[in-house]
Amino acid sequence: MPSRAKQKQAHGDTDADQVLQAVILSDSFNSRFMPLTYEKPRCLLPVCNVPLIEYTIEFLAISGAQEIFIVATMHAEQIKAYIESSKWSKKNSSSLHIEVVHASECLSVGDALRELDARQLITTDFILVGGDVVSNMKLDKALEAHRSRKRSDSKYTDKNAIMTMVLKEGSSYHPSRARGEESVFVVDPSTNECVHYEPMEPFPRKKRLDINAEIFERHAEIECRNDLIDPLIDICSVEVPALFSENFDWQHLRSDFVRGVLTSDILGKTIYTYISNDSYAARIQNSQQYDSVSRDILKRWTFPIVPETNLQESDIYQYSRGNIYKGTRVMLSKSCIIEDNVQIGSGTVVGENSRVTNSVIGKNCKIGNNVNIEGAYLWDNVIIEDGVAIKRSIVANDAVILTNTTLDNGCIVSFGVKIGPSVALPKYTRVGSQPQPKDDYFDDEEESDDEEGDNAVSDIDLGEQGTGYIWIDKGDNDEDNDPRNLKVASLAFDLKDLSVGKEQGDDSDSASEIGDLSDSDDERDSVGDTWHPEQSQILAARKVEEFKRELEQSISRAFAEQHTVELAALEITGLRMSANGSYDDVRDVIVPAIINQVDLSKPMPSIRTVLKKWGSLIGKVTHGKDDQVHVLHILQVHCADKEQLHKLFLPALRLLYDDDVVEEDAIFRWYNSDRSKQLGPSATALRDKATVFIKWLQEAEEEDSDEDDE
Amino acid sequence: MVLSKALEAHVESFISRLKRRQIVGSYEVAKETAIILRQVVSTTRWSDATVLIQIIKDLGRRLSAAQPKELAVGNIVRRVLKIIKEVVRGELETDDIMNSGTSEESDDGFSDDDEEDNEEDSDREFKSILAQDTNDNADHTNDAIPARPKLQTESSMFNLLVDQHSDNVDYSAKSYGMKPLIIQEINEEIIADLETVYKGIADQALEHIHANEVIMTIGYSRTVKDFLTKAALKRNFQVIVAETSPTLQGQEMAAALAAVGIETTVITDSAVYAVMSRVNKVVIGAHAVLANGGLVAVTGSQMVAAAAKHHATPVLVCTALYKLSPLFPYDIDLFNVCVTPDQVLSFSEGTLIDKADVQNPYYDFVAPEFVNLFVHNLGSAPPSYVYRLINDNYDSEDTIL
Amino acid sequence: MIHSGADSPIFVMATEIEKQADSAPLDPKLFNAVECYHRFLQDPDMSTPVATFKVFTEFIRCSQAPTMTEFLETLRQVGETIQDASIYDSNEWKSLNNSRTRNPHKATIATLAGIHLFNQFVRRNSSDFTELEDLKATLLNGSARILEKAASARERVAETGAQFVHDNAVILVHSYSRTVMNVLQYAANVQNKRFKVYVTEGRPTSDGLVAVSELQASGIPCAAVLDSAVGFILDKVDMIFVGAEGVVENGGIINQIGTYQIALVAKALSKPVYAIAESYKFVRLYPLNQYDLPSIVPDIVSFSTRRKSSSNALDLGENHSVDLAMSNPSVDYTPPQYLTLLLTDLGVLTPSGVSDELIKLYL
Amino acid sequence: MSTSNQSHEMSQHGSKASASTSEGKRKNQKTSRKAVYKRYNTLGQSSGSPALGHPQSGARKSLKDMTKAERRALQEQKVLEKQDRKAAGLPSSAKKASEQEAHRKVASPKIGSTANTPQSPAPDAEKQAKKQQKRLNEVPWLSHLDPPKKPNTASNTNKDLHPAVLALGLRFAEHKMVGSNARCVAMLMTFAKIIQDHKPPSDASFSRHIQKYLDPHIAYLLSVRPMSLSMRECIRWLKKEISEIVEEDPPLTDESARNRLVERIEYFIKERITVADRLIVENGMQKIQNGDVILTYAKSSVVEALLLEAKRSGYEFRVVVVDSRPMFEGKHLLRRLVSAGIDCTYVLLSSIYVVLKDVTKVILGAHALLNNGAVYSRIGTAMVAMAASDKQIPVMVCCETYKFVNRTQVDSLVLNEMGNPDELVVKKSNDENSSNSLTNWRDVPNLRLLNLHYDVTPSKHITLVVTEVGLIPCTSAPVIWREYNEEFRKGVQAK
């Protein structure tokens, strides 16, 4: 099979026996493009007047994909409708079969993949991409590399390889990198195996990269690369979705899945990279990338995927000097100036003395006289009246900008919004056509309370004829809780504006960070050298802390979602491994946590039920007497410090004993241990309470010891 | 769509490959176009020539729209149109219709699988055709030009005076014998021509290269390679190849030439002027030749040609007839295509490429005054005569598809 | 304007026919070719060869010639008279001062072209007819068809020519030429391309100024330059459009005085020169040099040392410029090597292509 | 036997040893002398500089400090040596010694490695190797040019050279230091240093000895990389200066002579290069206007300065940087211009005609201006100039007057410099575009790679030359060369 697959990839043509499958995750699972994505899924937002997903599909088609599943969550119906109307489904001839998978309840990539697994759609190795990839890459080499690992004959056979991440060589501060989501890949150059993955938000600036020491044992040399553009193109083996279902808490492809796989030694899977340096690949995750990728397309880096290739059969663009692309029936006034890197959709009219540079203008737009458009993206049917100035902003379909209005850097104006006349929108204003939903359906619990800093702008005047509502950008549902990371990622962001409403501490260091943010590409080494033994003490301490925190979260989640003990245990082990924390730490966390589950209104029954279920969990993390003693100490302390828990102590002790979580002599040792006596009055009180139980135990013991004697 | 499903599929794949530039090089393109068109003739149902012509024109428009810079597509389409018209005017002797006809029937049978089979099975019948006229192939092609009557369609001027409406012969006349005849013509006139192109040009090599010459060339052109190789059989001479950055096709070329035992020297593009003083002929290939005798060729050709002109060194252009296009260089940029600048300045130069504007045009336009001679597969001609060749090959009505 | 140019001939034809219907059939001797010729030329959009053609048709219609030979003979006479007329005009218009509206009838060559064409037309057909009437008949409807084609010619030229006008082009136009105007207006209004135009003044008639006003009227940014400023301006120019009175055998053109030197400068600065002409302006001439033109050679080539000219050399008044114009040629000849391409209604031709057409036409 | 009795008379006056002498090293001195001879012959051919009679200097310096016994030993040695050199190559001991040399003398590890490469065991063997190579894949019609040089650090000629020169030589050889200005300045500075450090032997006065002393250094520089014409001009000037010192009457004291020389050199650098560049920039500025589109090729320090200055003084213009393989010098220029906020376009030479369309001016640098008005400059310059002049675009060449040389050349092949042909081969293995077609070209019998460094642009392609003395037509180069050089010398003396 693999050999045939090989030929097949070589010729890029299609034989029936093994179809190449691809999965497009149409949804971004974040709110970067709000309010635009509130009405239109990101993958349908036009990039250079072509819906984003067209690029992705084209890319997959070039790479010879035959079966594409689009996992749609938000606006699934829109996506479905689009695909059905698009050339891909029309083409009776096309060897490409596209199916839209409607998965409305997914909240993350993880969910989507679990969904996929549930439906059992994936039958072979498949390409996993976001719905926002722009690339002219031909994946056959990467695919071949991936498959050859499965093959026994090839040089680098590795049966455990489950994924190949396709990465593009760039440089640390390359415009096409996702600002605020850069990440460092630690790669073994000889095999391209990825041995470590580290996300690198610029804020708070990571000064250090912790690499598990044993990696150095396993690999002769490793490279830490902070110069890679990660277009999130992954070649995955069949088992990947399954893995997601096993680890139900994995949300993100990189920060959870990749990290999880790389750090867990129980999974024993490996992940590889394929680093391309000739072809183009980038994805549009945020407005800043929207800008840079659009520019790359206009500047022809994505060739042959450029406007005059007319991905959509409907439009016909003419390329001319200075990267100017004109659609049909474009009416340019005699006096207007069209400068470099401009695309103008068909039927658009540009008035006298207007100036357009580095911009994309959609179909059937009306642009009045003396308008200045610079680095802006106007979508279809936009009306710009006379004397308007727009700088590096996005204006969505059917929006109307009335006379003498100015949009400063980074504004986003949503569908059908009307602005002006004669107002000036400040930087990074976002105007939606609907009011911003009070609790954004993206927000989960730990979302964006620290955002108040930038809500200052919320009373912006849209002009007396203005319609639409100011949106203030909420953070993401992912845990980068430093909003500056979002700001960095926004269109036309310049670092000077960074110190918006943040507490001084951050400002001071952000200043320094700006310094080295703007300096050029010698980041790699500073990330590269990682081993600071002298610091490792503090380091360890801090790590334990956060490990415990994570543990609490996961436990509480387990309680909330009624996981089985096994799952919870697995999860805990996972965490423990990743943070290589000790069991003691684990117990420190879970014992109290479990006790807290008891509702104190009717303590007796509830504690019974709770411990019935979760006692065993404690069991799983206690091996040997000492641990048991330790458990008891924890229990004692915990029950001691809240007096309504006092009465829980004995039952708990009892139940634990019944469940054989703790054995007699552990209890004895606890009882006799002087530690148990010195834990403060209330604790000792509890100990005394236990005396009865101890007595009983001892008697019981003697009895059966007697029996033994006989 | 009038096309049969299978054919439609074939067309679609061809178009998308054109768009993705997975198929480049005018030869491949021309050949596939010809094959597709032949299939159109054979598989689609058309009652009379007008219909057929319309179908072909529409298809031609689609194909050339897919990759407007590949002029070969349009050229082949025009050739086919011309052939059809000629056939209709009954200006072609109708011999061995039967066998080719039958061979076509079989072709119809196959035509619904993808182009590999098609190519080879068409190949098969070229073989048969070549078999049946191997000996007269050369002169058949040679007298092909005079054989073809011209005066009929060229100029509306002429029609002013002659009383018969020669330009609107009613093609709508029901004509049944036509199909096999047309197909046969396409096979002989176009596809067979394509087969013999390189040979036809290479055969003239000795007429243009004398002993101990120093010849400069640029880029990789199979035509030129064969031309020089053929000459190398009889005469020994040196070749200097400009490496043709950024694609470095020149280096490929050099390797190929050296492999067949020609003394080859690779120079940087920048050294062309410096070395030109040693060169006594420049031989280059072309991507397309325009009606005014100018040509679209690999980037750097203009530079070489100009340097040659300054050293009064003759410039030969080896080009097959199917590269002749009736279009004119309305705008120099029109036929150029800018490919990804990656080869010029690596994408990883992030901060740099963001600010500077990097260009990487793939072709170059060489004005006719820089060319001394075109060597094509049926002979050779000065640039001023190119328009004539074009009139011979295409019907002036079809210039705009 | 294009449209009026397009259908006017047919329209005129119609009127003519009516006129003939009521007026009594004329004797060929009485038929005033010259008068008729001028009448047709009243229409500003009428191009000279077409006019000539019309005259002929006119004549045929009312010819009383009994025999074939006589008929042909009279035809020839008519031809000559017209030619004389045109030559006479071309001398005489110069003597009229410039304040008067431009006189489009300087076109000796064009007339010549028309006459040639018609004679050729007759020759082709005359052979295969014995009956005079049949011949007349064929000639009439034949020429009707020719006139139609001729009418549409200018439009097709416009289309061909407009292809060469690309966005942001800067074009130099020499003086006034209807065909060139059509091309520019077509490019600007139909294809809405954006370009700028320089127009040479075109001494002595200053037709260029007319051209400027017409272009500005149709919203094309343009400016007039002195004929003597061509060298100065040409660096900024992308391409040069010139009309043609006649296109000669070798692909060279005969056009308003000044074309030649513009072409020379353009060659020196390697700028393309496009000659725009309808195919019926092709004429079987082969001038060797400037002094080999059928139009009479003005006395400028012979140096006069008349005291008079030197005496009142100071008062350069009206009449001075007039007799300056008088003593100067109205057209010059531009050899083919200075022309990049010819844009005609037959499509785009290289100069060498022209002779092809002519050969096909006249052999 | 001239050398031997020479060694006699010179050794009468034993002056302080420069370096510790050992048996091995004394052997080396012979070979060194031989080497120097060779060098001089080649030098003699390539540039007409009169260089005979100097080789002894190598010996002289090295033989200064010898006792009679040693001298006797030495003579026997010599006899032996002559024989076995006739027989074959060099005594291995010499070689070993030479390697020690290499390691001890030169810090950089890279050099160590080159020293160990079989290529350069000793001049003779090296020459053999070269011959071999030539026959295989040198371009026959360029056989008159000496093939790309390898820094021959191992050959023991170096031992008595000033370390500064060695360091400089290496920088030249590895193209660490390029651009004629940079090289000239560097060279002069080094010489200045040498002159400062030089202590003449007690018998000779400084001014008489210094020239002899300098020659082997010059020879060495020549041996690592052919000198640019401008450098030769400088050297010619320097020699003239030195000879003047000698003629000085009453004779100068060593100290004053030394100082005077050093001053002169500094003055030369200042007047002819640094100040000159500033003037050139000023003059060039006259010709830059708003809205210009200026095309430049490769990288010239003066042009760069000019453009940056123009930007600084607020002109609005675009720059088209044309570049070429294998050096990609233009990339550096581009980087600087872009970071200065100049709007730039970057293309390769092959597509120059495409960008030329909207260019208004072409500004180029030069390595030398020949007396026939031709410009000797980075390869490709001729092409650019030609293309521009074809399109009637003015071509300006920025060139300091010290680069005006008394030499004429009508084609680019008579005098030129061959670069390392392997630079043409693309190293990147992981991209598939034909790059590998040449990787092992040396194995292909008929295949040759040619990597020239310079070409000659005929004066017809050049509109004007911008010099510190103003804007001149390049045809008046000889005038400048004659007049200005004179005047400058006067200026110096006046000072």
Side-chain angles (χ1 to χ4, degrees), chain B residues 73 131 301 348 374:
Chain B
V73 179
S301 305
S348 47
F374 284 99

Side-chain angles (χ1 to χ4, degrees), chain D residues 77-367:
Chain D
Q77 255 305 327
K78 218 179 300 149
V79 182
L80 291 180
E81 209 175 318
K82 281 222 187 54
Q83 290 159 353
D84 55 14
R85 181 163 293 116
K86 278 191 193 63
L90 288 167
S92 63
S93 64
K95 183 171 173 188
K96 214 189 288 104
S98 75
E99 286 181 3
Q100 295 160 357
E101 280 301 324
H103 291 306
R104 194 160 49 70
K105 261 222 161 48
V106 200
S108 140
K110 180 167 187 343
I111 311 315
S113 64
T114 47
N116 296 335
T117 54
Q119 238 87 349
S120 51
D124 287 10
E126 192 177 28
K127 246 194 148 35
Q128 297 299 342
K130 278 194 192 138
K131 277 213 197 63
Q132 215 89 45
Q133 231 185 31
K134 227 182 225 116
R135 239 182 287 105
L136 279 184
N137 38 33
E138 284 301 321
V139 185
W141 36 272
L142 286 176
S143 45
H144 62 285
L145 300 178
D146 23 4
K149 304 230 168 98
K150 312 220 171 11
N152 167 16
T153 48
S155 77
N156 33 39
T157 59
N158 311 347
K159 62 165 284 292
D160 44 19
L161 295 185
H162 191 293
V165 177
L166 292 175
L168 184 65
L170 289 172
R171 282 217 228 85
F172 284 176
E174 289 152 17
H175 291 89
K176 290 268 169 54
M177 178 174 283
V178 288
S180 48
N181 278 0
R183 281 167 72 194
C184 272
V185 175
M187 179 184 70
L188 289 174
M189 301 268 239
T190 327
F191 285 161
K193 185 155 177 37
I194 297 175
I195 290 168
Q196 225 132 20
D197 301 354
H198 175 53
K199 303 274 175 297
S202 51
D203 71 329
S205 77
F206 172 85
S207 36
R208 297 199 173 288
H209 187 263
I210 182 65
Q211 173 147 10
K212 288 200 172 74
Y213 177 60
L214 271 181
D215 286 331
H217 294 86
I218 298 171
Y220 173 73
L221 287 184
L222 265 168
S223 77
V224 293
R225 184 184 164 188
M227 284 192 183
S228 73
L229 293 172
S230 48
M231 289 163 81
R232 294 189 178 162
E233 275 303 297
C234 295
I235 290 175
R236 213 161 281 137
W237 168 82
L238 185 56
K239 288 194 168 147
K240 206 165 168 53
E241 285 295 331
I242 292 174
S243 54
E244 277 172 6
I245 298 182
V246 178
E247 282 137 26
E248 210 51 59
D249 174 36
L252 300 157
T253 69
D254 289 5
E255 212 30 56
S256 58
R258 185 176 288 120
N259 295 340
R260 171 167 149 184
L261 262 189
V262 175
E263 272 169 19
R264 288 286 167 91
I265 290 179
E266 277 157 4
Y267 183 68
F268 183 92
I269 295 177
K270 186 162 136 295
E271 281 303 303
R272 305 299 298 272
I273 303 182
T274 33
V275 176
D277 283 358
R278 221 172 296 123
L279 288 171
I280 289 179
V281 170
E282 274 174 30
N283 296 337
M285 291 285 283
Q286 306 164 4
K287 292 294 167 211
I288 295 184
Q289 300 150 352
N290 281 327
D292 265 343
V293 180
I294 297 170
L295 181 144
T296 182
Y297 176 69
K299 178 179 182 311
S300 150
S301 50
V302 196
V303 175
E304 181 186 331
L306 173 57
L307 293 175
L308 292 178
E309 179 58 32
K311 179 69 181 179
R312 225 173 283 114
S313 43
Y315 284 106
E316 273 313 312
F317 60 98
R318 263 181 55 225
V319 177
V320 179
V321 179
V322 181
D323 207 350
S324 68
R325 291 186 69 246
M327 290 203 181
F328 289 116
E329 294 168 302
K331 208 183 280 183
H332 307 304
L333 177 63
L334 180 68
R335 199 166 271 116
R336 302 234 177 80
L337 294 183
V338 161
S339 50
I342 301 178
D343 174 3
C344 289
T345 305
Y346 180 84
V347 294
L348 288 182
L349 182 57
S350 51
S351 41
I352 181 166
Y353 273 86
V354 180
V355 289
L356 214 51
K357 200 173 171 191
D358 40 17
V359 171
T360 61
K361 286 184 184 72
V362 174
I363 305 184
L364 301 169
H367 277 64

Side-chain angles (χ1 to χ4, degrees), chain A residues 326 330-336, chain C residues 167 188 192-194 219 221:
Chain A
K326 273 199 299 178
V330 171
M331 294 291 288
L332 301 178
S333 66
K334 296 274 185 296
S335 60
C336 70
Chain C
D167 261 359
N192 53 64
K193 288 178 174 163
R194 313 161 64 217

Side-chain angles (χ1 to χ4, degrees), chain B residues 3 68 70 122 130 168 199 214 235 239 241 263 334 337 357:
Chain B
L3 303 185
E70 277 293 358
S122 44
L130 296 180
N168 45 28
K199 185 173 172 304
V214 180
R235 317 232 159 112
V239 180
V241 186
E263 273 188 42
L334 193 57
V337 38
D357 149 38

Side-chain angles (χ1 to χ4, degrees), chain B residues 123-157:
Chain B
D123 284 343
R124 169 154 50 67
E125 75 204 21
F126 309 147
K127 297 298 168 295
S128 66
I129 289 161
L130 296 180
Q132 90 196 13
D133 57 12
T134 32
N135 52 350
D136 68 341
N137 198 352
D139 51 345
H140 142 79
T141 40
N142 280 339
D143 58 24
I145 293 306
R148 230 175 271 130
K150 305 163 209 67
L151 291 186
Q152 293 310 327
T153 54
E154 247 78 278
S155 75
S156 59
M157 185 72 180

Side-chain angles (χ1 to χ4, degrees), chain B residues 353-373:
Chain B
I353 63 155
D354 197 24
K355 302 209 192 72
D357 149 38
V358 188
Q359 289 186 23
N360 183 10
Y362 192 80
Y363 296 122
D364 219 344
F365 176 76
V366 182
E369 57 264 31
F370 290 98
V371 181
N372 296 66
L373 195 67

